[in-house]
Amino acid sequence: MKKKKIAVLTGAGISAESGVKTFRDANGLWEGHDVEQVATPYGFEKDPELVLNFYNKLRRQLKEVEPNPAHRLLAELEKDYEVVVITQNVDDLHERAGSHHIIHLHGELLKMRSVDDSYTLYDCKEDIKVGDMSPTGVQLRPHIVWFGEDVPMIGKAAEEVESADIVVIIGTSLQVYPAAGLMNCAKEGTPIYYVDPRPSIDSKNNITVIKDVASRGVAKAIELIKELK
Ligand code: APR
């Protein structure tokens, strides 16, 4: 029998229990850093060293964190369902938990590219410094989608949500577009489960809000999904 397809949309909240800070909670990443400064092409132009160091620090922090039960439950779900994870996160915790089908909407800390080519990606395990050049002789930058930049994977992500039988949303404030609009790509009536301790929408019609942290909330969502006909 063909497996049902689940599209899972994740945000910073799924990595919170791993010790990765979210963006918009009180102790979020932006503290001490203006978004304009560290997450826009303009900020990079103005002070590339500051921006590179900001992401270098985040990349180093990745080595100190591990996937949590929520990441692992999603990976295990692949036994019974076709699962595609569409994440706004730039960490690699879904990969390390064992998920196989992952779309990174906002880029990846472990990849880099030259400033003039957003499509040719290189692995990036160490710090990037001003003066580090691509094989084509152009300054390297992190493969992160900054505010004001295109989100190249959005079309593919929208197709995945549209063709899903079930949608699960975990740990996102649903503030940043176009990612926040993806849930609207689901076919009418598709069951949608939204796990977040401070959810930004209420339960209604086909949307079930599970007000809880990711580890417990994802377990609850999976129980409900297993009850679906
Ligand atoms: N479990 C689940 N959710 C949690 C947890 C937790 N333990 N702790 C916090 N959250 C929730 C918060 O309630 C909030 O709704 O995670 C959400 C985090 O929201 P944001 O910090 O806004 O993160 P996100 O929605 O992923 O941000 C989207 O904004 O800054 C840009 O590009 C960046 O990808 C990011 C995008």
Side-chain angles (χ1 to χ4, degrees):
M1 204 174 74
K2 197 171 173 288
K3 287 177 177 176
K4 278 190 183 170
K5 176 168 175 172
I6 307 182
V8 186
L9 312 178
T10 68
I14 194 168
S15 297
E17 287 165 88
S18 296
V20 180
K21 286 179 180 163
T22 58
F23 296 93
R24 291 177 184 79
D25 288 310
N27 60 350
L29 273 180
W30 305 127
E31 215 181 342
H33 287 286
D34 186 5
V35 176
E36 292 287 316
Q37 222 178 13
V38 295
T40 63
Y42 170 73
F44 183 65
E45 229 169 79
K46 210 169 150 205
D47 193 343
E49 194 176 349
L50 180 138
V51 177
L52 290 178
N53 283 338
F54 177 78
Y55 293 98
N56 288 340
K57 193 171 150 200
L58 293 186
R59 193 177 305 105
R60 280 186 233 136
Q61 282 171 0
L62 270 192
K63 295 180 182 158
E64 287 151 29
V65 297
E66 297 289 335
N68 67 55
H71 297 102
R72 294 206 183 88
L73 284 169
L74 293 179
E76 281 167 26
L77 207 52
E78 291 184 10
K79 279 191 229 143
D80 299 316
Y81 297 86
E82 182 190 341
V83 182
V84 53
V85 176
I86 301 162
T87 187
Q88 296 171 80
N89 299 344
V90 296
D91 64 46
D92 64 341
L93 296 177
H94 285 301
E95 282 84 350
R96 279 154 61 191
S99 284
H100 290 98
H101 195 174
I102 305 162
I103 296 176
H104 282 274
L105 282 177
H106 295 163
E108 292 173 71
L109 276 172
L110 297 180
K111 300 240 163 84
M112 60 187 175
R113 63 177 183 84
S114 70
V115 296
D116 70 346
D117 176 1
S118 47
Y119 292 96
T120 311
L121 305 180
Y122 309 95
D123 287 341
C124 177
K125 302 234 158 46
E126 305 301 331
D127 290 358
I128 309 176
K129 299 192 189 67
V130 174
D132 287 352
M133 302 294 176
S134 69
T136 53
V138 179
Q139 174 68 47
L140 288 162
R141 57 163 272 184
H143 171 50
I144 301 288
V145 175
W146 287 325
F147 287 99
E149 294 189 315
D150 287 344
V151 182
M153 298 307 289
I154 197 71
K156 173 79 184 132
E159 281 171 23
E160 298 287 3
V161 175
E162 200 184 345
S163 61
D165 301 298
I166 299 158
V167 173
V168 181
I169 306 170
I170 307 159
T172 170
S173 58
L174 296 170
Q175 304 266 312
V176 174
Y177 284 81
L182 277 175
M183 62 185 287
N184 303 322
C185 299
K187 286 187 295 284
E188 205 183 328
T190 303
I192 299 179
Y193 300 90
Y194 173 36
V195 175
D196 197 299
R198 284 173 295 281
S200 45
I201 52 173
D202 294 323
S203 291
K204 62 169 183 197
N205 308 326
N206 52 322
I207 302 176
T208 306
V209 175
I210 300 170
K211 194 172 171 191
D212 208 338
V213 294
S215 54
R216 284 197 304 259
V218 171
K220 285 184 202 166
I222 292 172
E223 272 174 36
L224 295 174
I225 288 170
K226 296 218 154 137
E227 284 167 14
L228 290 171
K229 290 263 162 60

